[in-house]
Amino acid sequence: MTPARPVADAASLTDHLRHWARHRPQQRAFSHVDFTDSSASGRHRTLGWRALDSRARAVAARLVTVASPGERAALVLPQGLDYAAAFLGCLYARVIAVPLFGPQVPGHEGRLAAVLADCEPACLLADSTTAPAVRTFLRDRALPDIPVVPVDQLAVQRAGFGDPDKSAPGPEPDDIAYLQYTSGSTRSPAGVMISHANVVANARQAIAAFVADPESATTVGWLPLFHDMGLVLSIAAPVVGGFPSVLMDPVAFLQDPSRWLRLLGSYEGTVSAAPNFAYDYCVARTDPALVDELRLGRVRVLINGSEPVRAATLDRFRTAFAPAGLDPAAPCPAYGLAEATVFVTADSLDEPPSAVACDADALAEGRIEESQDEGATVLVPCGAPVGQELRIVGANGAVLRQGQVGEIQLRGPNIGLGYWKRAGLTAETFGFGAAGDWLRTGDLGALHQGRLLVTGRLKDVIIVDGRNHYPQDIEETVQTAVSQVRRDRLAAFGVTGPDGTDEELVVVAEHRRDTDPTPEETGDAERAARAAVSARHGLRLGTLLLVPPGSVPRTSSGKVSRSAARTRFLDGGFGPR
């Protein structure tokens, strides 16, 4: 007999966790697969629902001794079971969780210090292996000397914090559950205030979109748990739906993507997510002889929420792994953002993803017109919203009809409360429309046959002679024309020209690791890029800079930060022009 599911109005993740701990105490809840040894299958550690609940309560019991309700606790521990327990423990204690990463993550120490200074945590949650480095980081960065709690050393008791026979009050639906710091691809990171009701609503929306039957589903994820999609898909949705979650470290994926592919085939009804680069990476790094060993026919959905989703990436991945039994309809384009908790739209799972070839001139003028022209811009539909409303709005505030490009705006129970300590930015982004309940996403798109086409970021658009040009389209043209360019490791942006009025197009691109372009090769690359950009976009490329691998700024979630690249270019950070 299937255990009763939680009541529909369960207000928090901990309500759901408590339910599964009672009704499915021994069933597999969360697993972490460690690939530190040479085993291809990794070493699995698993917690049942009761054990996960007990671990979370142990964290909460310690938290209430160092933080009060409404104060912040920053999670700076490695990916794994302790991270999940620490996050849920914060919710039990009514302490605002701040999902972050430890100082051992290279290249993001400055961002970590800035976020810690912004959120002013009462304590840091680490583990026994990382706690010394965390304390050193606080000292070296002149940050406040606050308690560092190694959560893996906390005593776990059967009857712990928040047990029904004890009087600890639970959170209110509109209380802040956690701060989701944005990736900062177009501005400095800001903490989105996500309420308990927001995250439960978005988890339900994700389940409705991607999980046909919670009784036969498993999420498998390597996305960082401090990333919005990683947190919701690998923690929130499984806790709400009562199905297992399997975690692996992002570094383990980068070392060998076949580890992820093997895990995907180890369970029925697998649900996972990854950005464009990961699907291309799997194709490039997987031995064709291995493909026949994979069991990808068990995969239900592979979410691609990149900005933008590339049709060529979808095609390459489907073709490469069709021999492994991958359902052509499994790859699923989607759209989301932290301000909406994460998930917004998803394409249909009943048929393979499609593409819309758009007339480039019409698109530059803000219209979607299908075209058979060889120079058409190809966009991938990201489906329809689930459990929320979406509209496209013009610069004058008018709602646009289908086929017109404007700002994507959203309304629903998953929309966050605003930005932490940023009233001005909150006023610019949240609470629009007659009822004051629409979110301005800052993304541009259009509705086409009822499905969302995302065209770019409002702040990234390059305007030349009154026409809009989307940087991702220019970047795709350059990386196709110039073989030395590392795929998806380049940034296109505009700078004010020498005359102080016209916008000049600049592309900064990392060259491949196996190349070291000579001046002659660099000149050939610039000429090839300039010809391709001119032919396809009608633009003059002012500058192409080929820079060493790792030079183009990226956010903590792996996105290229065009705004940071532009600033570095103007400051001379890439060397002389």
Side-chain angles (χ1 to χ4, degrees):
M1 181 177 177
T2 301
R5 304 196 69 78
V7 293
D9 60 351
S12 69
L13 291 182
T14 48
D15 289 339
H16 289 82
L17 178 59
R18 185 183 295 114
H19 171 89
W20 300 123
R22 290 176 184 166
H23 291 277
R24 298 180 176 176
Q26 304 304 325
Q27 285 194 20
R28 179 169 57 92
F30 280 42
S31 301
H32 178 249
V33 186
D34 183 8
F35 290 98
T36 53
D37 57 25
S38 58
S39 170
S41 58
R43 183 169 61 90
H44 291 60
R45 292 178 57 230
T46 298
L47 295 176
W49 287 109
R50 178 184 290 165
L52 176 62
D53 185 57
S54 297
R55 295 276 290 273
R57 292 174 190 272
V59 173
R62 180 71 175 92
L63 273 174
V64 297
T65 68
V66 294
S68 301
E71 290 190 306
R72 278 74 55 211
L75 282 67
V76 292
L77 62 167
Q79 185 114 332
L81 301 178
D82 290 328
Y83 202 110
F87 176 76
L88 294 165
C90 290
L91 306 192
Y92 262 132
R94 298 170 63 202
V95 170
I96 299 171
V98 187
L100 290 171
F101 45 87
Q104 74 277 6
V105 177
H108 296 289
E109 298 90 342
R111 182 181 189 273
L112 176 61
V115 171
L116 290 176
D118 185 67
C119 71
E120 300 176 293
C123 66
L124 302 181
L125 301 182
D127 65 9
S128 53
T129 62
T130 59
V134 170
R135 294 189 180 99
T136 299
F137 182 81
L138 292 178
R139 183 178 63 252
D140 291 347
R141 294 280 175 160
L143 292 167
D145 183 17
I146 55 178
V148 178
V149 180
V151 298
D152 58 331
Q153 295 183 348
L154 299 176
V156 177
Q157 298 178 349
R158 173 71 180 274
F161 178 89
D163 214 57
D165 61 350
K166 303 199 174 183
S167 57
E172 294 295 324
D174 290 335
D175 287 349
I176 302 171
Y178 62 98
L179 302 181
Q180 181 65 64
Y181 275 82
T182 61
S183 62
S185 59
T186 60
R187 61 172 177 239
S188 299
V192 182
M193 298 180 288
I194 302 296
S195 72
H196 291 270
N198 290 154
V199 66
V200 170
N202 204 231
R204 288 176 176 152
Q205 291 161 346
I207 292 168
F210 305 121
V211 180
D213 179 12
E215 304 300 328
S216 59
T218 298
T219 61
V220 173
W222 59 265
L223 290 178
L225 294 177
F226 59 81
H227 184 275
D228 47 13
M229 180 61 86
L231 185 67
V232 171
L233 196 64
S234 289
I235 295 183
V239 167
V240 170
F243 48 82
S245 173
V246 178
L247 304 169
M248 63 178 286
D249 195 275
V251 174
F253 168 79
L254 293 173
Q255 290 172 340
D256 184 357
S258 71
R259 293 166 170 170
W260 178 53
L261 297 171
R262 290 182 187 276
L263 283 177
L264 290 176
S266 299
Y267 308 92
E268 290 291 345
T270 336
V271 177
S272 194
N276 265 318
F277 94 84
Y279 294 108
D280 282 327
Y281 191 61
C282 286
V283 174
R285 290 289 303 273
T286 303
D287 187 336
L290 174 64
V291 173
D292 292 335
E293 301 177 18
L294 301 174
R295 296 188 293 170
L296 299 184
R298 309 178 84 181
V299 175
R300 171 166 172 77
V301 59
L302 295 174
I303 303 163
N304 185 335
S306 298
E307 302 168 3
V309 177
R310 298 196 187 279
T313 296
L314 297 174
D315 291 341
R316 282 190 292 267
F317 190 84
R318 283 183 304 197
T319 300
F321 295 103
L326 181 68
D327 184 342
C332 180
Y335 166 73
L337 68 164
E339 288 81 354
T341 306
V342 61
F343 168 68
V344 176
T345 72
D347 207 14
S348 170
L349 301 182
D350 297 329
E351 56 188 27
S354 60
V356 179
C358 303
D359 180 270
D361 291 335
L363 188 61
E365 295 171 1
R367 305 188 313 278
I368 300 295
E369 294 182 4
E370 293 196 53
S371 170
Q372 301 300 318
D373 188 76
E374 189 174 317
T377 298
V378 178
L379 300 177
V380 175
C382 292
V386 177
Q388 53 198 292
E389 298 174 72
L390 182 152
R391 68 183 186 182
I392 306 298
V393 177
N396 61 358
V399 177
L400 303 179
R401 64 178 184 272
Q402 294 232 1
Q404 292 184 308
V405 176
E407 184 181 29
I408 302 167
Q409 295 191 2
L410 306 170
R411 177 167 67 181
N414 55 305
I415 304 303
L417 305 177
Y419 296 109
W420 178 254
K421 298 196 306 186
R422 299 200 181 189
L425 187 58
T426 296
E428 294 173 10
T429 310
F430 294 81
F432 280 80
D437 53 359
W438 286 91
L439 168 74
R440 294 188 61 187
T441 67
D443 290 325
L444 292 172
L447 291 171
H448 177 73
Q449 298 178 354
R451 298 186 295 172
L452 177 66
L453 297 176
V454 180
T455 59
R457 289 285 297 169
L458 188 60
K459 291 183 178 180
D460 282 342
V461 170
I462 301 166
I463 303 175
V464 179
D465 296 331
R467 291 162 59 88
N468 292 345
H469 298 273
Y470 299 100
Q472 67 271 16
D473 297 336
I474 296 168
E475 290 158 5
E476 176 66 16
T477 297
V478 171
Q479 66 187 6
T480 299
V482 182
S483 61
Q484 295 101 319
V485 170
R486 286 186 77 197
R487 189 156 194 87
D488 295 329
R489 295 294 187 271
L490 67 168
F493 49 85
V495 299
T496 303
D499 62 359
T501 57
D502 292 338
E503 191 89 330
E504 180 178 287
L505 175 62
V506 174
V507 175
V508 178
E510 296 180 9
H511 61 71
R512 296 198 324 265
R513 293 188 183 277
D514 60 353
T515 65
D516 186 10
T518 64
E520 182 180 356
E521 290 171 333
T522 299
D524 290 342
E526 185 162 16
R527 284 187 288 274
R530 186 169 286 126
V533 169
S534 176
R536 188 170 182 86
H537 304 282
L539 282 173
R540 183 186 179 279
L541 174 60
T543 301
L544 171 68
L545 279 184
L546 289 181
V547 296
S551 299
V552 175
R554 296 168 66 193
T555 69
S556 60
S557 60
K559 300 176 184 175
V560 167
S561 177
R562 298 186 184 99
S563 61
R566 182 179 185 274
T567 299
R568 184 175 297 180
F569 174 81
L570 293 174
D571 290 344
F574 294 114
R577 304 186 194 182

